[in-house]
Structure formats: C-alpha cells, structure tokens
Amino acid sequence: MKYDYLIVGAGLFGAAFAERAKSHGKYVLVLDKRPHIAGNVYTEKIEGINVHKYGAHIFHTNNKAVWEYVQRFAAFNRFTNSPVANFKGELYSLPFNMYTFNKMWGVVTPEEAKAKIKEQRKEIAGEPENLEQQAISLVGRDIYEKLIKGYTEKQWGRDCSQLPAFIIKRLPVRFTYDNNYFDALFQGIPIGGYTKMVGKMLQGIEVRLGVDYLQKREEYDALADRVIFTGAVDAYFGFCYGNLEYRSLRFEHELLDIPNFQGNAVVNYTDRETPWTRIVEHKWFQFGKDENGNDLPKTVISREYSSEWQLGDEPYYPVNDEKNTALYEKYKQLADKESKVIFGGRLGMYKYYDMDQVIAAALEMSNKCLSEDC
Ligand code: UDP
C-alpha cells in the first residue's frame, strides 16, 4: 500500500487527523471533492477581508489542549462574539443577558429579571420536552416570541415544539451585563483566516482536490490501509436506509463600497417574515483592519438563508431529532462493522459539533489509532 491513511475531507477533522498521522511518520493522502481545503470553515480573502464563505465561524473552547493545538497553526485575535438580534427593527443583545432583559422589560437588577422569568415560566409544568418548552422555561414567553421562535423556525424549518430541547441550551442565559455569546475560556479568530490555518495543518501532506471519493471508492481504497471518512455517513452507505435529514444553507455574498454596513459582525433577524436568518459583516471579525492594521475601506456582507437539504446540496446541520437519531443509530451499526474505515466530523458522526469538539474528536481518534497502530 502506498499510504497508511486515506483521509476523505480536508475540513477540520480531516486536517487534524492528517497532521497527527504525519507527525507520527505516517504516509497520508487527503481528498476533498471541493476545489479547496478547509471544508466549511473555508475563508476567502476579498478586499483584505477574510470572508467566511460557508457561514460565520468563531473559534471558542474550554478545552485547553485543543486551544493549544490550534495555536500551533495560527495566531488568534481577541474577537468575542456578541451578536445583535433585530426583531422588526427593535435591537436586542445576545445571548440572553441583563442587557436583553433590560431592553425587553425595563428591569435593572438580576433579581428583577429573575422574578420576571419566574412568572413567565409558570406555564411550563415539569421537565421541558421540546425546544419551545425549554426556551420558555429558560427565558420566558416574551423572549421566546421575539428572539427565539421566528429565528429557530426559519433555521430548522420545523415548529419549535417539534425540535429537541438541547439546541437552545447551546446558548447561555446570564444574569450579568455580559454580551459574550459563548461560555468559553478561550475565543478568537485565526489571523489571516481559517484557510491559512488549515493550510498550515496540511503542510507537507499530499492533498488532491476536486475528487469525489464515493465515485472512485475502489480506486482510492486500494491505495491505503485505512480510510478516515468525514463525509455524510448515509451517503457513504448509499442511503441504504433512506437519507438522514440535514439543514442546508445558502449565502448571498455582497461587496459594498461603504466602510460599515451594520456595525457588528453578526446580526440575527429573529422575526418570521425576513427571509434570511442573519447577516454577517466579515470585516468585524478582524476589527475592520487588514493584517497590517490598516482600515479597510470596503465591506463584505453575507445574507444567510436556511433550507431543507436535498440530494446535491451541501449538508450543514444534522437534524438531531428522535426520528433522525434512530436512523443514525442504524447507520452507526453499519459504520462500526467497517473495520478499515473510521467515520469522523459533523457529517461522519451526525452530530451538531462545534469546531473545538471536532478537533477534540480528531485528536482523540488519532491518538487511539496511532498508539494501537490501527
Ligand atoms: N437561537 C435563537 N435566536 C437567536 C440565535 C439562536 O433562537 O437569535 C437558537 C436557535 O434555535 C438556534 C440555536 O439557538 O438554532 C443555536 O444557535 P447557535 O448560534 O448556536 O447556532 P449556529 O451558530 O450553530 O448556527
């Protein structure tokens, strides 16, 4: 065999696994069907702005080992995500915190905010069973109606009562005046963009782009002892049990000849009527400056639209509801039987992973694999 590992997918899982394997002296070949590396964290430089072509990615983690690992491939800036919610022209701070409660109800102290939520959550008796109940129980009906319901139904294409509660638990609820969207000790954006960072991870590793592994499986399988597959697990098995559901995204990127469109990196449109879920203004991920500290005169914005995934679309979010979780279990059983193949990443493991969790999983998997010499 020519290679120890064939890695399908040059996103974060594939790149981290490849990097670890190479550092252990293994021969690695990485394939990706797209014409570029970095998967969905891919950034492209336009007018000095690193544009997140597949949606905003803000690196954040509580995992020190992962944070130290990524620092090896990029210097990170001090960007802290604090999106703004726009509900029919009313602006609210996110995540749900004292600024949000103050704007919504005029309350000033944490005690007043808690009392307001306590009163509104009375309508939920017992353990929340779905996203709607979970949201009302966390922040009350007013916030649910204005900042959660419309956005969530646009993003997931499903009623909030049909969605799992855990999705809304991703967001912190804080009784402090703190607009930091993430509960993470470490946060930032790689200076120079994610593509540059992933490029560094893949340095010295053979990468073939524009190759659809599933179309040429036998040819490529013959080249390596082991396959790391980071594409969609149902596609790998030819959708034999039917397809898993995903949400897909569409972006409208626009270069504007003005210096400042919305004054913030991310603005969420939380009403049901606005067709996009959010608008990202990429230059604010780098404080409006290029790598030499010069102000950027133009701006690039991206409107993000959510849609149900159909064959041929890019899958972005697994829909981890009951039906799909049960179906994934069936695919997982098949995956476990494939002794030569390891499935990884958001698509390979059908999990709503953040970037740091993807890297943690890749480090763990590669560690195990390389020490057992699998
Ligand atoms: N969410 C919401 N309103 C917002 C932002 C998020 O209701 O303004 C909910 C929505 O259900 C979403 C979930 O919180 O799916 C998780 O949001 P997050 O920002 O973590 O999603 P991602 O950035 O992964 O798309």
Side-chain angles (χ1 to χ4, degrees):
M1 293 273 182
K2 192 165 175 227
Y3 300 98
D4 298 302
Y5 292 104
L6 170 71
I7 299 182
V8 182
L12 285 177
F13 191 97
F17 198 107
E19 187 281 326
R20 289 289 73 215
K22 176 173 183 277
S23 79
H24 279 72
K26 302 292 181 190
Y27 290 97
V28 180
L29 172 63
V30 177
L31 305 180
D32 203 294
K33 66 178 175 185
R34 289 177 181 167
H36 59 74
I37 59 163
N40 280 359
V41 305
Y42 175 71
T43 50
E44 194 176 296
K45 202 175 262 189
I46 299 172
E47 299 277 340
I49 303 165
N50 293 302
V51 175
H52 298 214
K53 295 294 285 240
Y54 302 93
H57 284 83
I58 299 122
F59 200 90
H60 57 98
T61 189
N62 280 306
N63 184 327
K64 193 155 173 275
V66 167
W67 185 239
E68 280 167 2
Y69 179 74
V70 294
Q71 306 293 311
R72 290 170 45 193
F73 310 102
F76 279 67
N77 71 16
R78 61 150 194 89
F79 183 81
T80 299
N81 194 26
S82 37
V84 168
N86 182 328
F87 177 78
K88 303 185 179 184
E90 288 171 28
L91 296 191
Y92 292 91
S93 296
L94 292 172
F96 313 115
N97 72 85
M98 286 305 299
Y99 287 110
T100 330
F101 307 141
N102 173 262
K103 177 91 188 247
M104 188 69 69
W105 300 311
V107 295
V108 171
T109 66
E111 207 179 322
E112 288 168 336
K114 282 183 183 168
K116 199 83 193 168
I117 292 171
K118 193 171 170 199
E119 180 193 315
Q120 295 202 356
R121 78 150 68 101
K122 276 190 191 145
E123 64 172 284
I124 307 297
E127 265 305 290
E129 279 167 9
N130 55 50
L131 196 153
E132 175 176 289
Q133 293 178 0
Q134 181 70 71
I136 295 172
S137 143
L138 284 170
V139 287
R141 181 164 281 278
D142 291 343
I143 291 181
Y144 169 68
E145 298 281 350
K146 284 190 169 180
L147 305 184
I148 298 173
K149 191 176 192 304
Y151 185 90
T152 301
E153 291 181 1
K154 281 192 288 189
Q155 168 150 10
W156 294 98
R158 288 159 177 75
D159 199 84
C160 287
S161 60
Q162 304 302 314
L163 286 164
F166 84 87
I167 293 177
I168 197 68
K169 281 183 151 173
R170 286 169 59 85
L171 306 192
V173 178
R174 288 202 194 97
F175 294 92
T176 52
Y177 287 91
D178 179 359
N179 289 331
N180 181 356
Y181 197 61
F182 301 117
D183 266 333
L185 284 174
F186 311 105
Q187 181 169 182
I189 302 268
I191 295 169
Y194 285 94
T195 307
K196 193 171 161 193
M197 177 180 97
V198 176
K200 230 168 159 192
M201 293 167 84
L202 291 171
Q203 215 163 43
I205 293 170
E206 186 180 346
V207 179
R208 295 188 199 165
L209 297 172
V211 177
D212 189 348
Y213 164 79
L214 292 178
Q215 300 289 323
K216 297 180 178 171
R217 195 184 300 207
E218 275 163 32
E219 177 188 333
Y220 279 101
D221 281 351
L223 296 180
D225 294 328
R226 280 259 160 185
V227 178
I228 312 299
F229 184 80
T230 72
V233 62
D234 53 343
Y236 180 92
F237 291 108
F239 304 104
C240 65
Y241 297 134
N243 75 280
L244 289 161
E245 290 175 308
Y246 299 91
R247 291 299 285 172
S248 191
L249 298 176
R250 180 171 67 81
F251 298 94
E252 276 174 12
H253 305 289
E254 216 180 319
L255 172 66
L256 303 175
D257 202 2
I258 54 169
N260 192 354
F261 173 74
Q262 63 184 16
N264 203 35
V266 184
V267 177
N268 290 355
Y269 285 76
T270 59
D271 66 298
R272 192 70 190 82
E273 293 73 33
T274 306
W276 53 84
T277 49
R278 50 191 165 190
I279 301 183
V280 170
E281 187 171 13
H282 303 266
K283 70 189 300 186
W284 304 123
F285 290 130
Q286 54 195 67
F287 306 100
K289 296 191 186 298
D290 68 14
E291 277 164 66
N292 300 316
N294 300 311
D295 286 330
L296 293 157
K298 296 185 185 176
T299 196
V300 177
I301 61 164
S302 303
R303 288 187 175 80
E304 184 172 323
Y305 300 83
S306 182
S307 60
E308 197 65 21
W309 173 88
Q310 283 166 357
L311 203 61
D313 295 343
E314 288 292 350
Y316 284 80
Y317 295 92
V319 180
N320 292 118
D321 60 7
E322 264 174 48
K323 179 177 119 194
N324 286 290
T325 305
L327 183 54
Y328 171 65
E329 279 311 313
K330 290 176 74 178
Y331 280 114
K332 172 94 172 46
Q333 281 178 16
L334 290 184
D336 289 343
K337 284 191 208 131
E338 294 279 294
S339 57
K340 193 182 158 170
V341 188
I342 291 169
F343 294 81
R346 221 187 225 207
L347 301 176
M349 299 167 94
Y350 199 66
K351 282 210 180 68
Y352 190 178
Y353 269 150
D354 285 330
M355 289 181 281
D356 65 324
Q357 295 170 309
V358 167
I359 290 178
L363 295 180
E364 195 184 317
M365 203 86 94
S366 57
N367 222 344
K368 190 164 160 255
C369 213
L370 291 160
S371 61
E372 288 167 8
D373 211 24
C374 71

